Amino acid sequence: MKITKSVFTLNDYGNIEICLKEVMDSKNVKRNQLAVASNTRFDVINKWYNNKVEKMDLDVLARFCYILECQPSDIIKYK
């Protein structure tokens, strides 16, 4: 496979959007509830909730999916 794209070009390569707020709202789950159920600090939940995640922790994502009974693709979108 020949790679023809590079992030060093001026092309827009998209971004990752975290949609945890939408999933939580649809299931009527509050941030405090998710923090307790997932054994995750509130500030971590808040970053995911507000789409401010800098580095994704897959263990945290797995916990959210388990508790919210959803798939990673419900929480993470590539645009």
Side-chain angles (χ1 to χ4, degrees), residues 20-75:
L20 182 64
K21 179 184 184 321
E22 291 80 1
V23 174
M24 289 175 63
D25 289 351
S26 72
K27 296 177 181 279
N28 199 28
V29 175
K30 305 296 182 205
R31 285 177 280 183
N32 253 357
Q33 293 172 310
L34 184 59
V36 170
S38 66
N39 194 27
T40 305
R41 293 188 336 258
F42 183 84
D43 62 313
V44 172
I45 303 286
N46 206 41
K47 284 182 180 180
W48 281 76
Y49 188 85
N50 291 309
N51 192 24
K52 302 290 183 191
V53 175
E54 294 174 11
K55 293 183 181 178
M56 193 168 300
D57 184 335
L58 297 180
D59 183 61
V60 170
L61 177 60
R63 290 186 227 172
F64 294 165
C65 289
Y66 176 75
I67 291 163
L68 297 171
E69 297 179 341
C70 66
Q71 297 297 313
S73 61
D74 297 328
I75 297 173

Side-chain angles (χ1 to χ4, degrees), residues 3-34:
I3 297 177
T4 59
K5 296 180 181 179
S6 170
V7 294
F8 298 109
T9 63
L10 296 177
N11 296 334
D12 183 19
Y13 56 89
N15 65 336
I16 301 294
E17 183 177 317
I18 307 295
C19 303
L20 182 64
K21 179 184 184 321
E22 291 80 1
V23 174
M24 289 175 63
D25 289 351
S26 72
K27 296 177 181 279
N28 199 28
V29 175
K30 305 296 182 205
R31 285 177 280 183
N32 253 357
Q33 293 172 310
L34 184 59

